[in-house]
Amino acid sequence: MRIFSHFQALPKTGFMALVGFLSLSIPLVAGAAEITGRADAIDGDTVRVGEMELRLYGIDAPELTQTCKTRKGKIQRCGDLARQSLAGLLRGRQIVCKDLRPDPDGRPAAICFLGPININENMVADGWALADRRTGGEFIRAETFAKNRHEGLWRTEFLTPWEWRLQK
């Protein structure tokens, strides 16, 4: 399984603990070809489909309490704006989440679609999330598009979500 190649550097006891954890959690996630259901936004990069929380794989949105500053100096709650953007896209509609796998932090994650729309890519292209470099950066083109067009976060002064978390 490819998942284990990322953890070869762990000490043997840590690796075995991880194997035990994954054996309990992965069948619930990776065993399913896809998850389909009505979705609600938890934050800018996490959805709830039924009882399951899924991270949108490959993206990183501001934390709910994260703020940014407009060009006029006004402080905005960009984490909440990112959540609102995702909620507006989903509006409780049915989505399909495919390619289930753990994200770099071990949480269940997937690429999710609303019809033909790749929700993960859409959040980045709209400027409310950034490409997560830890996953290979498959959404960097969408991020460049948003940055060049000054979409979403790119209209403001902001710390990347990973920089902001380091300060907290």
Side-chain angles (χ1 to χ4, degrees), residues 30-105:
E34 60 185 43
I35 293 179
T36 302
R38 298 203 182 286
D40 295 302
I42 294 173
D43 59 26
D45 55 17
T46 311
V47 296
R48 179 175 290 115
V49 181
E51 296 297 316
M52 182 151 205
E53 277 188 26
L54 286 172
R55 295 251 313 137
L56 298 176
Y57 190 81
I59 74 171
D60 197 1
E63 300 297 326
L64 283 175
T65 58
Q66 186 173 342
T67 59
C68 50
K69 190 180 347 176
T70 68
R71 291 192 178 107
K72 292 183 178 182
K74 181 182 174 192
I75 301 297
Q76 291 183 322
R77 294 185 48 153
C78 6
D80 192 48
L81 292 171
R83 183 196 58 76
Q84 288 175 34
S85 177
L86 181 56
L89 179 63
L90 299 173
R91 291 191 310 227
R93 294 185 287 188
Q94 183 127 335
I95 67 171
V96 176
C97 295
K98 301 177 180 184
D99 201 12
L100 291 123
R101 58 192 142 177
D103 73 0
D105 299 317

